[in-house]
Amino acid sequence: EKLTESMAHTVLKQFDASFLDALKHVGTRATIKATATTYRYFDNVWQFTLENVALRLNHGNSAMGAAPEIKCDKAKVVCVDCRLLDPAE
């Protein structure tokens, strides 16, 4: 059985709110090196399509160079201003 569009939208909003809350308690910093093939800004949302991506996640106070590098051919990054998210909605 499929979720209705309204239910799917509600689940995604709750996921975004929960993920944002979880990130507030994480002391991790990320560095992304890539080639941006496309980018868009619409309704306060940035979308980046990336190629030749190298990602480093730094946990705690260790040097960024010591963090393991994750590589992939393509990635999509979506950025929303957290002040626009309303978890009560």
Side-chain angles (χ1 to χ4, degrees):
E1 219 176 288
K2 291 177 84 173
L3 291 174
T4 65
E5 185 175 336
S6 174
M7 289 172 68
H9 192 62
T10 301
V11 169
L12 286 174
K13 277 189 167 188
Q14 181 58 50
F15 174 81
D16 288 345
S18 298
F19 198 80
L20 176 62
D21 186 52
L23 285 176
K24 290 177 183 177
H25 307 288
V26 175
T28 300
R29 193 172 94 189
T31 300
I32 301 172
K33 291 184 182 181
T35 302
T37 55
T38 61
Y39 58 93
R40 292 184 189 96
Y41 182 74
F42 183 73
D43 284 345
N44 297 312
V45 177
W46 278 102
Q47 291 185 14
F48 300 92
T49 304
L50 308 174
E51 289 185 352
N52 303 319
V53 181
L55 170 71
R56 285 187 190 269
L57 296 175
N58 181 0
H59 304 287
N61 294 327
S62 61
M64 186 58 82
E69 188 173 72
I70 302 167
K71 292 185 176 186
C72 63
D73 296 331
K74 293 182 181 183
K76 187 173 195 177
V77 177
V78 180
C79 304
V80 179
D81 187 343
C82 67
R83 294 172 291 190
L84 301 175
L85 297 176
D86 183 7
E89 229 180 82

